[in-house]
Amino acid sequence: MTKISGADAMFQVLYDWGIDHIYGLPGGSFDSGMNGIYNWRDRIKFIEVRHEEAGALAAASEYKMTGKLGVCFGSAGPGAVHLMNGLYDAKYDKAPMVAIVANVPTIYQDQGRFQAFDEKPWFDAVAVWNHQVKSKELLPVMMDEAIRQAYAQNGPAVLVVPKDFGWDEIEDSFRVNAANHSAMPNYPEPRKEDVEKAVALIKEAKKPVIYYGIGVRGAGEELKEASNKFKMPIMSSFLGKGIVEDSFPANLGPIGRLGKKPANDVQAQADLVLWVGNDSPFSPDFFPKDAKVIQIDVDSKKFGKRHKVDVAILADGKKTLRAIIDAGEEKAETPLYKAAMADKENWNAWVDKFRDSEEMPVRPEPIWDVINKEADKDAIFAVDVGNVVIDFNRLMTLDNHQIWSTSGLYATMGYGAPASLAAAQLYPDREVWNLSGDGGFAMMSEELLTQARYNMHVLNVVFTNETLGFIEAEQIDDSHQPLSGVKLPDNDWATVAKGMNVKGVTAHNKKEFEAAVKEFKKMNGPMLIDVKYTHEMPYPTKINDLSNPEFVNKYQARGLRPFSEFAKEYGVE
């Protein structure tokens, strides 16, 4: 029987699963792994990040963009610990990924040696599957199992590999059965009696709405058809953005602090919610407590978790929407539907009036108008955490072929740059945008070096507003405290980029930003645009006090109408 090193056997498994790249940073405890990477260099690309956290976040982002898991590694001790943030992002967003964690040789373990600690317990809380290889022969077997478990349990799997096992030779006899892996789960059909109950509630409702989340990704056409047939305004969780294109007339967008005014206005009026594929933790703050709910999900634990449920349908969301559409009768426009459309039109008109604003520092609307017009129709957006998600949510008009990802439930700052590495690797022929505030970008800014090293066509847009804006707004609006710890220096990110071999440009207004974007589109490799952004906070939908002149003046809200006016105009009870 042919002999093979444990590390080579491990990479054979990765390759057989269709994995053609891996993120990481070398360390002494992973020398045998690095030798395997060298041996497999023609088949598996090594992307050397500048921080292990970036590698883990990049691997976590891959499933969100493709439905295929990513792989990263870290060396013993600090390298292993640095992976943790990316692993928690994958855990919270239910993204399969595999982390290979190096350990010191077996003869040095449990002796307090250099960079050695008991690594397996460290990952117990975050991993869906977590094991240290106990014999060299098991290395390929356990690598295969890690991949299977990550997919099966929708989260991060961790494989701890002692350094010596990677060098040791074993028989080259293990082969995976990846060809039989099904990426598409076969969820159940809805029961006829449940569909009939749902249809009856929709028929009698006077103010029905649809509330969907990322769990119904791929069912955009069904959501639109249900909305059109039953005259139901639709709204989503933040992660559901893009499942239905933003231009769809009845799409009010996500609810909550990140959302637009119309979505927050209308959700408070609903008497029936068709709730599908959504487990947003903010949902208990939405909808009247006496509103009836039809909840569709493939996980029975979700039923009633966020709101009382009148009809629970344990079934595939896309199939169930189709069944409800086919079984139900078309409805006429309700007063709420008409008021919702008028509210949305009013909001859009208010936003539009700022698109060519020359206010300095530049407002969000002119910048996002350029992004909407200039971004390729199949562009990829890596969205960081902070006020940037509010602007992206409200002002970005996604095309059906565009892809975006963020750190959703875990919401870790610094996500944008690592996710852009993954996007550029996964889609080398498509345009990649990293959209980050100056606070988030500072956390992973070293990954500009990685973009430059691999000549990735990434446009890094840094919105410099000199504050941790999301936290500043919380301190002002929620806790009503003096600002503390949120202010940032006005850094010259264009100069930083140039020092990392990335084209750097500073933009103070719409014209300068547009010129820089057009320049990026003509060049190869990465660019950074440092946008000197407004210091004003986004319109606070949680407060939404249009009856208060001070509020209207502070947020330049003249022209926005309170929902009560639309309700009165269209006869909403």
Side-chain angles (χ1 to χ4, degrees), residues 56-57 59-61 63-64 83-98 122-130 150 153-158 239 279 302 406-412 415:
L57 285 169
S61 73
Y63 184 82
K64 303 178 191 182
L83 297 173
M84 193 63 75
N85 220 26
L87 292 171
Y88 267 105
D89 177 73
K91 175 185 176 70
Y92 275 63
D93 281 356
K94 300 187 183 304
M97 66 170 287
V98 171
W122 182 260
F123 296 100
D124 279 340
V126 67
V128 297
W129 183 92
N130 175 32
Q153 300 188 58
N154 293 312
V158 173
L239 294 182
D279 186 35
K302 306 290 178 57
T406 192
S407 179
L409 191 57
Y410 191 55
T412 180
Y415 178 89

Side-chain angles (χ1 to χ4, degrees), residues 496-507:
V496 171
K498 292 172 187 176
M500 295 189 184
N501 299 312
V502 171
K503 173 74 174 180
V505 179
T506 301

Side-chain angles (χ1 to χ4, degrees), residues 420-440:
S420 75
L421 304 181
Q425 170 61 30
L426 294 165
Y427 302 101
D429 298 324
R430 294 170 70 169
E431 190 175 87
V432 176
W433 296 63
N434 167 26
L435 305 174
S436 300
D438 46 348

Side-chain angles (χ1 to χ4, degrees), residues 382-385 388 415-417 434-441 461-464:
V383 184
D384 215 311
V385 170
V388 65
Y415 178 89
N434 167 26
L435 305 174
S436 300
D438 46 348
F441 186 77
V461 182
V462 181
F463 302 96
T464 299

Side-chain angles (χ1 to χ4, degrees), residues 165-186:
F165 288 172
W167 288 118
D168 291 342
E169 289 197 336
I170 62 175
E171 292 185 352
D172 186 14
S173 59
F174 183 80
R175 292 296 179 267
V176 306
N177 196 25
N180 292 322
H181 170 71
S182 176
M184 296 298 294
N186 185 23

Side-chain angles (χ1 to χ4, degrees), residues 43 55-56 66 327 381 457 483 492 502 513 521:
R43 289 158 290 183
T66 67
F381 299 96
H457 193 52
L483 292 182
D492 185 354
V502 171
F513 181 69
K521 288 175 146 317

